[in-house]
């Protein structure tokens, strides 16, 4: 075995005191800086975290153990389904633990869940403290699809110690409850993998029939249709590229193939996973943070599921010590930043944060975080746990990577480990859906990062380009990817929409609004190191219409934590370093062509990173022909203002833009006249 390269200076996380304080019901092992020089965590710490989460949640068991009625706001599905959700998702954590410990279970986790399965399936649909809801079609009664899959997968993983211990009538009742998911309609996305997972379990325990076979064949067929290349899936038809790729579309089919012993299918799917991890794994910040991008972010460590499966299958571009370093840094990241209260996951990102949460999320929803613990299926003597932590190669140089199938441009700086993703492809809008209504801040923005979150709807938008018509600022909804033109730039276009919110201005819903025919905004981003050059071109807007570009939203605990300055056509926002080790964070936005003014806009709703946020903005107006070309410099850096270095020089000749970078990268030349894309 080759000797890992030495740990890079400045890449060591501080002591684990904050991590240890987050665990309230177990003894926390001492850190091990010899085996884990970056994080100090070992498999024993992962086991302790799992036990603490399970024991904390177990305090809220229903009388028969079939539900975990955790404290918190009720989701749109209601209390009974929320209780099932918490039960099923923590059951998955217990199952992963059980597999890796080869049945050793000193806390009796599995016994509690098996008791709950028996109680929950005794009289499904009855309105009492333990009976599980019946699985219905997507909509009011559809959420149990999701939780039934976790129950089935957990039983499948622990078959000898769970299913085989049930009495025949108890097995029949579980079979009958699960089969409701096979004939009812799931959501038209990753939800089709839930009946696949259930059918896989039923076949694995000798209950195969024509229906289970068809459901499995349908699910595998759909993920093949949703595969876009380079390891990336869309979460259903259209363009939805987010964390569901890792914690659903790679996870469930691979576990199905592995548990059923389908080597050919596992090899095919694992090859995609291997390729996916080559671009997905570098999206984790050096401090362990995943990208704050897409929905269901309250699942937190669930973002680690694909990396864990890479270790489980042995198909990963990372060496074992590199994988564990990313896994452990992410676990520390969340537990050290208040993601739990008294051992229970909250609805949010660090701590509670309502804009991060979807309407379908209840108190048990965050426990899809259990998927990030899939590596616990590997025993203590596996190389994942015995290899010395080492820095991945991407820590050593700045990285720019285009993920062409998803329309994403990944930008990572080695000096601070900060990751940004520029979004020119993922809009989470179904092909049959109308391109109208309110924007989704988790998908509509031009860029996302590991240290900033999008501002809330109705606040000043971050990373946005918009025009104003009849007093309404436009929004970006359906994104039209354009062919990649170089190794460091991507482009897209969108038709700006002008939503009118109803019934009041702060409504999350928007109907109608003004319509401008053939209006279009082209957007291009080119990057090098910390530097970004953002280019936008307008077509067919009213002459003189106001135009606005915003940059990265910097957040802090209060207004005093932020310093903002705007002058001429440049704006900068800075916050001081945090208590968890990151340095200052600076967002800069400077007009290079077409922009005439700047401002620092307040977003009082804050972001997931702080209760108060400020966004740098540039302002201009459309030319006399209803168009215009606008070029701006942007930067997000963990440094003081100005430390990001000189601004690249830009030359504009008609629709042709030349960017002269200050480093070794050759000039980037972009001719917007040849971008392509047809406006409907």
């Amino acid at each position: 075995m080759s000797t890992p390269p030495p740990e890079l200076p400045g890449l060591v996380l501080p002591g684990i005191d904050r991590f240890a304080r987050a665990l309230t019901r177990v003894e926390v092992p001492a850190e091990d800086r010899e085996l884990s020089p970056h994080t100090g965590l070992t498999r024993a710490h992962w086991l302790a975290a799992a036990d603490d989460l399970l024991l904390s949640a177990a305090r809220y068991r229903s009388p028969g153990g079939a539900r975990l009625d955790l404290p918190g706001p009720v989701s749109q599905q209601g209390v009974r389904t929320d209780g099932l959700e918490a039960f099923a998702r923590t059951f998955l954590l217990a199952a992963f633990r059980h597999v890796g410990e080869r049945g050793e279970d000193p806390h009796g986790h599995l016994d509690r869940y098996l008791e709950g399965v028996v109680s929950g399936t005794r009289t499904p649909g009855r309105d009492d403290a333990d009976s599980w809801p019946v699985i219905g079609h997507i909509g009011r009664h559809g959420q149990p699809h999701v939780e039934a899959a976790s129950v089935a997968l957990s039983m499948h993983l622990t078959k000898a110690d769970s299913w085989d211990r049930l009495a025949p009538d108890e097995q029949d009742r579980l079979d009958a409850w699960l089969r409701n998911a096979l004939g009812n309609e799931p959501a038209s996305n990753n939800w089709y993998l839930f009946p696949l997972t259930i059918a896989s379990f039923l076949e694995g325990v000798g209950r195969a029939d024509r229906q289970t076979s068809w459901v499995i064949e349908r699910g595998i067929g759909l993920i093949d249709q949703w595969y876009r290349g380079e390891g990336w899936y869309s979460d259903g038809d259209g363009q939805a590229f987010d964390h569901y790729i890792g914690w659903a579309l790679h996870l469930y089919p691979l576990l199905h193939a592995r548990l059923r012993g389908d080597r050919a299918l596992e090899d095919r799917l694992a090859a995609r996973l291997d390729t996916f991890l080559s671009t997905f794994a570098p999206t984790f910040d050096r401090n362990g943070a995943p990208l704050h991008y897409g929905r269901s972010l309250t699942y937190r460590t669930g973002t680690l599921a694909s990396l864990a499966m890479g270790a489980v299958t042995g198909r990963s571009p990372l060496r074992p010590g590199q994988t564990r370093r990313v896994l452990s840094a992410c676990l520390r990241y969340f537990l050290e930043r208040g993601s739990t209260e008294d051992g229970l996951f909250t609805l949010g990102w660090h701590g509670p944060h309502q804009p991060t949460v979807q309407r379908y999320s209840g108190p048990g929803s965050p426990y899809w975080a259990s998927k990030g613990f899939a590596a616990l299926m590997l025993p203590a003597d596996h190389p994942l746990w015995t290899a010395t932590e080492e820095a991945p190669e991407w820590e050593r140089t700045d990285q720019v990577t285009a993920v062409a199938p998803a329309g994403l441009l990944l930008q990572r700086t080695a000096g601070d480990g900060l990751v940004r993703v520029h979004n020119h492809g993922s809009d989470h809008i179904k092909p049959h859906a109308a391109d109208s209504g309110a924007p989704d801040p988790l998908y509509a923005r031009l860029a996302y990062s590991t240290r900033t979150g999008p501002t809330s709807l109705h606040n000043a938008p971050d990373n946005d380009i918009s025009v104003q018509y009849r007093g309404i600022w436009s929004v970006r909804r359906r994104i039209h990817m354009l062919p990649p033109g170089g190794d460091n730039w991507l482009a897209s276009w969108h038709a700006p929409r002008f939503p009118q919110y109803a019934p009041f201005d702060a409504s999350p819903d928007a109907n109608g609004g003004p319509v401008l025919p053939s209006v279009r905004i082209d957007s291009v981003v080119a990057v090098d190191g910390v530097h970004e050059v953002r280019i936008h071109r307008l077509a067919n807007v009213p002459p003189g219409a106001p135009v606005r570009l915003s940059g990265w939203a910097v957040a802090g605990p209060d207004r005093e934590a932020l310093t903002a300055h705007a002058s001429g056509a440049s704006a900068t926002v800075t916050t001081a370093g945090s208590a968890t080790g990151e340095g200052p964070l600076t967002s800069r936005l400077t007009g290079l062509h077409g922009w005439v003014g700047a401002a620092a806009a307040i977003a009082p709703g804050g972001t997931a990173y702080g209760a108060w946020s400020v966004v740098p903005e540039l302002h201009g107006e459309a030319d006399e022909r209803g168009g215009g070309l606008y070029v701006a410099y942007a930067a997000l850096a963990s440094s003081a203002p100005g430390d990001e270095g000189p601004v690249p020089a830009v030359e504009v000749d008609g629709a042709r833009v030349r960017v002269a970078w200050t480093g070794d990268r050759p000039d980037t030349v972009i001719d917007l006249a040849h971008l392509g894309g047809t406006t409907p």
Side-chain angles (χ1 to χ4, degrees), residues 561-584:
L562 303 177
T563 301
H565 177 75
S567 178
S570 184
T572 302
V573 184
T574 302
T575 184
S578 72
T580 48
E582 292 89 0

Side-chain angles (χ1 to χ4, degrees), residues 370-606:
S370 299
K371 295 180 177 184
F373 287 73
L376 281 180
M377 289 190 290
L378 299 173
D381 59 356
H382 189 276
L384 177 71
W385 304 116
T386 60
T388 302
E389 276 185 353
E390 57 173 310
E393 279 70 17
W394 63 73
E395 292 280 11
R396 300 172 184 277
T397 59
D398 292 346
Q399 301 284 323
V400 178
T401 306
V403 183
L408 303 176
L409 186 68
L410 310 181
Q411 177 189 12
R412 183 186 182 106
T413 41
D416 53 14
L418 200 160
V419 185
R420 313 143 189 87
V421 60
H422 300 274
N423 177 26
H424 290 266
S426 182
D427 55 26
H428 195 241
I429 300 175
K430 295 296 184 184
H432 60 268
D435 183 12
S436 63
D440 185 343
L442 296 168
Y443 292 95
R445 303 295 162 78
L446 293 163
Y448 299 87
S449 86
T450 53
R451 300 191 193 177
T452 64
T455 56
S456 304
L457 188 66
H458 305 302
N459 276 229
D462 63 296
N463 290 315
D464 182 62
I465 177 74
S466 58
V467 297
Q468 193 181 71
Y469 177 59
R470 288 172 47 186
I472 301 173
W473 284 105
S474 70
V475 300
R476 182 185 191 225
R477 284 184 49 83
R478 193 180 301 281
I479 301 169
H480 302 266
M481 286 189 284
L482 294 171
D487 64 349
N488 71 324
W489 65 273
L490 276 184
S492 64
W493 70 270
H494 74 279
R497 303 306 185 195
F498 301 87
Q500 285 186 321
Y501 294 95
F504 302 106
D505 287 345
S507 169
D509 301 314
N511 299 308
V515 176
L516 289 174
S518 300
V519 65
R520 168 171 167 159
I521 300 179
D522 294 321
S523 299
V524 184
V525 63
V527 303
D528 177 54
V530 71
H531 307 294
E532 309 166 30
V533 172
R534 301 184 182 186
I535 307 167
H536 300 280
R537 181 175 63 169
L538 273 59
N540 300 318
V541 302
V547 185
R548 180 180 68 189
L549 176 71
S550 58
W552 298 96
V554 173
D558 51 45
R559 187 166 187 161
E560 287 70 29
L562 303 177
T563 301
H565 177 75
S567 178
S570 184
T572 302
V573 184
T574 302
T575 184
S578 72
T580 48
E582 292 89 0
L585 191 64
T586 296
S587 172
R588 180 178 174 184
L589 191 63
T590 299
L592 303 179
H593 180 84
W595 300 107
V596 296
I602 295 170

Side-chain angles (χ1 to χ4, degrees), residues 11 39 55 83 106 216 229 284 330 350 418 477 564 570 630 665:
L11 299 188
T39 70
L55 293 172
I216 291 171
F284 284 82
C330 185
H350 293 166
L418 200 160
R477 284 184 49 83
S570 184
Y630 307 84
R665 181 180 289 278

Side-chain angles (χ1 to χ4, degrees), residues 57-116:
R59 294 175 295 155
Y60 295 92
R61 296 176 74 223
S62 59
R67 294 191 343 216
L68 297 180
D69 294 313
L70 304 179
V74 179
S75 78
Q76 64 184 9
Q77 278 77 33
V79 170
R80 292 172 60 215
T81 298
D82 287 351
L84 167 63
E85 181 177 62
F87 174 92
R89 298 184 181 199
T90 54
F91 189 6
L92 192 57
L93 176 58
F96 289 150
R97 184 200 185 285
H98 194 84
V99 172
E101 289 300 287
R102 298 183 171 96
E104 291 293 325
D105 190 2
H107 297 289
H109 298 309
L110 192 63
D111 287 343
R112 287 194 297 273
Y113 284 98
L114 198 56
E115 177 187 351

